[in-house]
Amino acid sequence: MDSIKVHNSLKPGGPVPLVPIEKGKISWYACGPTVYDQSHLGHARNYVSTDIIRRILMHYFGFNVKFVMNFTDVDDKIIIKARRQRLLELEKQKNYTDAEILELGKAAFRAYAENNLPELLEGEGELDVNNYIPRRDAAYGNVLAGGTLTGEGKPGDAEAKLKMHISNMTAAVIAINGNQVFKGADEILLPYLDSLYKETIDTSDQSIFTDLTRFMEGEFTNDMDALNVLRPDVVTRVTEYVPQIAKFVEKIVEKGFAYEAEGSVYFDIAAFEKAGNTYARLRPESRNDKALQEEGEGSLSKSLGGKRGAGDFALWKKSKPGEPYWPSKWGNGRPGWHIECSVMASDVLGPRMDLHSGGIDLAFPHHDNELAQSEAYFCKHGHEHTWVNYFLHMGHLSISGSKMSKSLKNFQTIKDALASTYTARSMRIVFLLGRWNDGVEISPDMRTQADNWEITVNNFFTNVKSLLAEANGMTAAVNSGVKALSISDEKSQEDLRADLEQAKKEVEEALINSFDTPAVLRAIGEVIRKANIHINAHKDDTDLPALEAIARWITKIVGILGLDANAKPPYEGIGWVSAAAAANLDPSTAVQPYKDVYKTFYSEVQALELPASETITNLYSQSPDPEFDSLAKAGTRDPEQLALPYLRAVARLRDELRRLAPTTSPETKKSILALSDRVRNYDLSNIGVYLDDRTDQPSLIKFIPAAELIAAREEKAAKEAEKARAKEEARRAREKAEEEKWEKAKLAPEEMFKSDERYSEWDAEGIPTKMKDGSEVPKSQLKKLKKDWERQKKAHSEYQAKFGGSTV
């Protein structure tokens, strides 16, 4: 095998060879979440992609990976969120009148506009809830319509942020107008109350912050479990490392790479570079980006002073009133954001690690600052120190051109996504369709591509398992689980084997090439395509050993990619592991639903008046129980395998019934077909079994999730109901048209114009000759009247012929 190559942000360009510090082992630190809100699809993109790489390294390449991840539970965002929520709770407890609450809402409304949407304040008079809408549309209508602030290019983060603020203001207007300030205007109240009362919060009791972070950490962990993301080997939290962080900072100061100013400690970039070190190695082009620097320092640090250089960043922050604090030699304070990861990663993994990862938005300043302060801490005698060998940055997940983020509030939470539009598997497939280090913008086309790939794999697994089960017939010797679905390899056509070897080669080349998962999915799809062609072209001489080998290999690869939440390494078997199989149920319990269908069906068949049939007599005498007992005693725990004896019995009896049906009385035939349809469409579908009826061949037993079968059945029923409804509507429309036709034809042509007030005289046939004013009927009009008269005469004659009777 060639050397694995990986995209390393420390070395821009193509992938470079991955050479671990210790052969066969990988030390890896991943930046975890800042736990102040629910996790969204952007987090899923980062941590699922990280999980995919981790699984590949462990389960495909065989590395012993030590994976460390932190929870940032001390941060400006956490402080603001927790403090504001507490202030809002306290405000709601005050004994306000309705008028006072309304004034509070209006004051917060004006303050929010001044801080975030200043153009709303332009114009005559003071901004209020009554003139907000026209001012909003005048100032920002172009952005709301999908344009940009500059009028050029595509909307991005700036426009997304602006829309967020407008949305908050609009919601507040509705709440204020409805006297529901405390129920709908939180987003404008929170910053306003914080500006008034933040210094009054007693932070000696840090539970105000830890209650939030512990809850959100649990929520994040549950989300990751739901996405089948492996848990870290080691988890670190900032609150558990504050003394070590202070000591770490002290040493950097002692070495001359940091300085104290007004109770805070800042990293000295100039001193660091003067000593021969390199700053901003990941994103040198961003080192002077003031917006990114400010974002990295946090919104609560804007008032901190004493920096020597504009780019110097905080290692330790002096705590202001309303902020949590810990003791240090510089006074009460708290860690800077960047220093946290340096201390925690180094404590667990030492002065050097193989991999460090995170979202691409962390490259600067977070990761560049981590590198600088860690290298400053560990460097000796002026020589540069290598703290991280490889930096892996996961690409953004974008929505409408801007990154998905909590701060922009343009996100869908993982919980909502899994409850509505995704499964854990379908979401992972979407991410697998893109390179881990590339940006991803989820589009309808990408979702369709992912769904189609999943359906292709599902159908292939189902078909191969069904063909193998059919070929096995009565299972004599069983190993365990889906391993039982195996037959001897006596004949194997070389073409399918060659296709499999080619797919294996392509997958290995893709994984070696910086974990190129899109190429992996293409290789799997292609070998399935070729296998399906073979199945359709060789119905009588299908190469089952080769199909089995392909299915087992695909099962292994999709397991390695984390697509089967119920599977465990080394991912042996065929297809997805069912939840029931993963639960390792008692065989009798696992098989009971299938046994119930068998018993009910056999009982109902025996009640039918059937002609003599030696086949049916034999089937009655052959109980599936002994075969099930042998499977259970052999250690089989896979419900599908355990169910096959009963399902084969049902399928064989049903096939014989359908063969006999044409020879029975009409009443018996009707009963047979109804029972046959019910057992397939309801009894079996409801427990995840589909009988595929084939011409001149036995029914093929397929295991398909019950939810899919029921959904398909309901969709079919809905279409049939719609078709019937449309047919009935058409029938009624025809009847109505027919009724109206004959009602109109009932009138004699001599009488058809007599009631028309436009005319005053008519001839003997009832055709108008004079207009109401006594003038002659115009020739052009008279010509049309005569044509209408002729049509009515013909229709009336048909009416008389059909219904008889005199003219009206």
Side-chain angles (χ1 to χ4, degrees), residues 404-418:
M404 186 176 289
S405 74
K406 294 176 186 175
S407 59
L408 295 179
K409 291 186 171 61
N410 64 342
F411 62 88
Q412 181 182 29
T413 66
I414 292 171
K415 285 181 177 61
D416 288 345
L418 292 178

Side-chain angles (χ1 to χ4, degrees), residues 425-485:
R425 182 179 298 156
S426 66
M427 189 184 296
R428 189 171 285 244
I429 292 170
V430 166
F431 298 145
L432 286 164
L433 285 171
R435 296 293 294 261
W436 59 270
N437 56 320
D438 288 340
V440 173
E441 180 152 12
I442 298 177
S443 65
D445 286 346
M446 178 177 280
R447 287 300 308 273
T448 299
Q449 185 182 355
D451 290 344
N452 289 341
W453 188 89
E454 183 176 3
I455 290 169
T456 296
V457 175
N458 289 348
N459 290 343
F460 180 68
F461 284 153
T462 298
N463 291 335
V464 172
K465 289 170 71 174
S466 299
L467 291 170
L468 291 173
E470 180 186 45
N472 278 327
M474 297 292 287
T475 307
V478 182
N479 294 321
S480 65
V482 289
K483 287 184 178 179
L485 292 177

Side-chain angles (χ1 to χ4, degrees), residues 287-301:
R287 63 175 293 157
N288 295 317
D289 189 318
K290 187 176 180 181
L292 288 177
Q293 290 171 343
E294 289 181 353
E295 183 179 351
E297 289 296 85
S299 60
L300 296 178
S301 304

Side-chain angles (χ1 to χ4, degrees), residues 746-767:
K746 188 176 180 181
L747 182 67
E750 292 83 3
E751 301 296 324
M752 66 183 294
F753 298 121
K754 292 290 180 70
S755 60
D756 194 330
E757 294 182 354
R758 292 178 299 168
Y759 309 112
S760 60
E761 291 185 21
W762 298 264
D763 64 14
E765 293 181 321
I767 297 176

Side-chain angles (χ1 to χ4, degrees), residues 120 122 127-141:
L120 291 176
E122 298 176 4
L127 172 70
D128 59 35
V129 294
N130 297 316
N131 60 26
Y132 164 72
I133 296 296
R135 288 198 183 189
R136 177 199 69 184
D137 294 344
Y140 305 110

